[in-house]
């Protein structure tokens, strides 16, 4: 019998009625003869509310206590979902991340999965039960509860699919799949039938919010087939899998944008060996995710250095840089919150030139100024003013004929 891992997002379990509907969908999979493991997110916007609640107490909660707090959202959802399945006459059992054997490192609020000891899950599957698992959380070797970062339930699902040898991992959500661009901005965006891991990885890390970036990383590494689809209908969604030859025919597969980053500029940094190592070493030490980096030409022995970080890590980043001030003698640090990044992604870029020029041209025609540029083999990203990013997405979607 084949095993399917299904992950349901918060919108699929937002109310008791939706939990019951989701239970029916899970049961129909079981009735088809599959073993089923379900990974569930917290109900609706519970996680946001919990984070919010913490800010009412203190603006500097410890990571440990935050994890204790926010991991409770998934615990509520898993128990209710399991109850619903049981009440419909099918055997189910719920487990926390820790009970499912999801072992992580100790970096609270963004822990990484290190090991999966899934024997307990397997035992329950062997008894014919549907196993419902709290997403987004794990346990450190010191037995502390950890969480995997916002959206981390996807990663829980992929990790379990791999550990249990599932046939596929279904990500059930409130959209029909992966689109060529955010349909709320580009109404004529198209749903993609398939996408390669690498393209999905670039889109996810460029702001496409459908999948947690680390879940795609892990799916690629562990060759877990993903099917992203709606939990509100039976339509086939988007398959995320290894690339095939014909996938390269398309120049650009999709456009993503991210307005949740901020730009930090350190002005008049001494231009000598070891300076970048020191700055980015300090940021890495503080576990801050740096994205784009730009260093300007050196003028009279000093240079300006800009980089982007998640807005939520901005204060921490500024703190880490300020601490270097004594030993590094730069002029000052300025933060800019009003930026956004727009990215075009496609495997076809590997074998075609001119994509960057076409992108810059389209932005220029809209009078949109580019502040930073970065490229990878299959992606080009530009930082622009936040207020212009929606226009940028629309223009690029059109230029690359994705409608
Ligand atoms: N509930 C968590 C969040 O809102 C994890 C998830 O939904 O994947 O980020
Ligand atoms: Mg999500």
């Amino acid at each position: 019998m084949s095993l399917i891992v299904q992950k349901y997002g918060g919108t699929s379990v937002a109310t008791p009625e939706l939990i019951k509907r989701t239970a029916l969908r899970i049961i129909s999979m079981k009735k088809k003869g599959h073993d089923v493991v379900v990974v569930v997110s917290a109900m609706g916007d519970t996680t946001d509310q919990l984070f919010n609640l913490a800010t009412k107490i203190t603006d500097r909660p410890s990571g440990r206590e935050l994890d204790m707090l926010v991991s409770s959202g998934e615990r509520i959802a898993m128990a209710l979902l399991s109850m619903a399945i049981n009440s419909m006459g099918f055997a189910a059992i719920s487990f926390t991340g820790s009970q499912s054997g999801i072992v992580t490192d100790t970096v609270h609020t963004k822990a990484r999965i290190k090991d999966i000891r899934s024997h307990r899950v397997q035992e329950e599957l062997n008894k014919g039960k549907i196993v419902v698992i709290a997403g987004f959380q794990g346990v450190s070797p010191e037995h502390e509860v950890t969480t995997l970062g916002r959206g981390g339930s996807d990663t829980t699902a992929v990790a379990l699919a791999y550990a249990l040898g599932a046939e596929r991992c279904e990500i059930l959500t409130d959209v029909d799949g992966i689109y060529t661009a955010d349909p709320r901005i580009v109404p004529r965006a198209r749903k993609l039938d398939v996408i390669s891991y690498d393209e999905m990885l670039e889109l996810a890390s460029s702001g496409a919010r459908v999948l947690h970036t680390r879940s795609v990383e892990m799916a690629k590494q562990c060759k877990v087939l993903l099917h992203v689809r709606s939990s509100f209908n039976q339509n086939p969604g988007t398959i995320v899998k290894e690339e095939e030859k014909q996938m390269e025919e398309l120049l650009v597969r999709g456009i993503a944008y991210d307005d949740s980053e901020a730009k930090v500029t350190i002005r008049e940094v001494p231009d000598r060996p070891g300076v970048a190592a020191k700055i980015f070493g300090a940021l890495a030490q503080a576990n801050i995710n740096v994205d784009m980096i730009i260093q300007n030409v050196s003028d009279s022995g000093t240079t300006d250095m800009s980089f982007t970080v998640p807005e939520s890590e901005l204060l921490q980043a500024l703190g880490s840089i300020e601490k270097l001030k004594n030993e590094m003698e730069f002029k000052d640090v300025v933060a800019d919150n009003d930026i956004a990044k727009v990215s075009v992604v496609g495997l076809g870029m590997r074998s075609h030139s001119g994509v960057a020029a076409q992108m810059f041209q389209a932005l220029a025609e809209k009078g949109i100024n580019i502040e930073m540029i970065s490229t990878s083999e299959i992606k080009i990203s530009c930082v622009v003013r936040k207020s212009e990013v929606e226009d940028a997405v629309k223009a690029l979607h059109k230029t690359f004929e994705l409608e």
Side-chain angles (χ1 to χ4, degrees), residues 27 75 79 91 102 126 161 196 203 210 257 259 294 305 325 337 341 385 397 401:
I27 288 170
R75 193 158 172 160
I102 298 180
N126 295 347
S196 66
L203 284 177
V210 187
Y257 75 98
D259 57 7
I294 281 194
M305 215 179 256
K325 178 119 203 194
N337 251 320
K341 181 177 71 173
R385 285 292 98 197
H397 198 264
E401 294 171 2

Side-chain angles (χ1 to χ4, degrees), residues 122-144:
Q122 190 61 57
E123 274 165 29
E124 297 299 330
L125 286 173
N126 295 347
K127 292 182 204 160
K129 288 192 189 168
I130 294 167
V131 185
V132 182
I133 293 168
F136 172 58
Q137 54 180 272
V139 66
S140 73
E142 294 81 18
H143 305 286
E144 296 288 7

